[in-house]
C-alpha cells in the first residue's frame, strides 16, 4: 500500500471536471500543490453518495482555507458514470473526478479491494490521502464500514495539525 513519502504513480486515467473529460495521468492531476484525494468503492453507491462525497463538498471551503488547492475523487468507474455522478451531486465545479475504469491506479496504490461477493468486482477501498507536490504526506484507509478516517473532518484535522 502506498505510504507517506511515496510518489504518486503515473497511470492513465480519465479526468472529469468542469471543463469536460480528458485523458491524463494520475501524477499530472495530483502532482502540484496540496491535493486531497479520496477514493470510493463506487459512484452512486449508498455510503459514497450519501456520506463520503457530500462531506467533501460541504467542507470544500474549509479545505481550501487550510491550503488545499484541489480535491479529487477517484473510483473504478468509467468516465461517463463519474460525470453523471459529479453532475447529479452538483460537485462538478468544486471537486475533480478521476475515472480509473480498469482499477490500474487502485492496484498501484494498494487500494484495490475485491468486492466480487457483492457483484462489484475490483473496486477501491474507501480511503483518503493528502498529497503535497506529488508525494503522499498522509494516508487514511477505513478499517470498517462507513466514513470515519477518510472523511473530510478527519482530513481537516490532519491539515490543521500539519499547519500548527
Amino acid at each position: 500500500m502506498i505510504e507517506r513519502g511515496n510518489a504518486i504513480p503515473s497511470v492513465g486515467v480519465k479526468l472529469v471536471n468542469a471543463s469536460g473529460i480528458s485523458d491524463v495521468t494520475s501524477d499530472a492531476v495530483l502532482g502540484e500543490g496540496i491535493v486531497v484525494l479520496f477514493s470510493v468503492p463506487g459512484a452512486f453507491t449508498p455510503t459514497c453518495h450519501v456520506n463520503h462525497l457530500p462531506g467533501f463538498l460541504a467542507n470544500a471551503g474549509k479545505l481550501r482555507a487550510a491550503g488545499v488547492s484541489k480535491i479529487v475523487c477517484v473510483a473504478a468507474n468509467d468516465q461517463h458514470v463519474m460525470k453523471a455522478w459529479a453532475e447529479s451531486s452538483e460537485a462538478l465545479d468544486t471537486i475533480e473526478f478521476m475515472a480509473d475504469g480498469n482499477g490500474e491506479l487502485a492496484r498501484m496504490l494498494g487500494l484495490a479491494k475485491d468486492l466480487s461477493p457483492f457483484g462489484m468486482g475490483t473496486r477501491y477501498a474507501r480511503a483518503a490521502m493528502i498529497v503535497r507536490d506529488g508525494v503522499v504526506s498522509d494516508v487514511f484507509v477505513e478499517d470498517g464500514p462507513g466514513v470515519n478516517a477518510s472523511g473530510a473532518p478527519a482530513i481537516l484535522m490532519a491539515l490543521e495539525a500539519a499547519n500548527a
Side-chain angles (χ1 to χ4, degrees):
M1 178 174 304
I2 196 155
E3 298 177 354
R4 180 181 203 147
N6 292 155
I8 290 292
S10 182
V11 176
V13 293
K14 302 282 187 182
L15 181 66
V16 178
N17 60 23
S19 299
I21 298 171
S22 55
D23 291 315
V24 296
T25 58
S26 52
D27 60 329
V29 174
L30 306 172
E32 191 174 311
I34 300 173
V35 181
V36 171
L37 173 68
F38 68 102
S39 61
V40 297
F44 293 110
T45 57
T47 302
C48 306
H49 188 66
V50 176
N51 295 54
H52 212 178
L53 175 61
F56 281 97
L57 191 55
N59 286 286
K62 291 177 183 176
L63 289 163
R64 296 211 194 297
V68 172
S69 54
K70 189 185 301 185
I71 305 165
V72 181
C73 175
V74 65
N77 291 111
D78 68 65
Q79 67 271 23
H80 307 292
V81 170
M82 294 298 277
K83 183 175 187 239
W85 190 34
E87 290 173 344
S88 74
S89 61
E90 298 181 356
L92 199 54
D93 290 330
T94 307
I95 296 172
E96 296 188 16
F97 293 77
M98 281 195 311
D100 181 25
N102 294 326
E104 184 179 354
L105 180 60
R107 285 187 292 280
M108 293 196 69
L109 293 173
L111 294 174
K113 186 172 184 175
D114 183 9
L115 295 178
S116 296
F118 307 103
M120 296 173 69
T122 300
R123 298 294 181 108
Y124 274 84
R126 186 175 310 286
M129 61 184 73
I130 300 170
V131 181
R132 297 174 188 271
D133 293 322
V135 177
V136 175
S137 65
D138 297 279
V139 180
F140 309 88
V141 181
E142 297 293 347
D143 58 6
V147 178
N148 296 300
S150 67
I155 302 305
L156 277 167
M157 285 187 354
L159 287 165
E160 289 167 1
N163 293 336

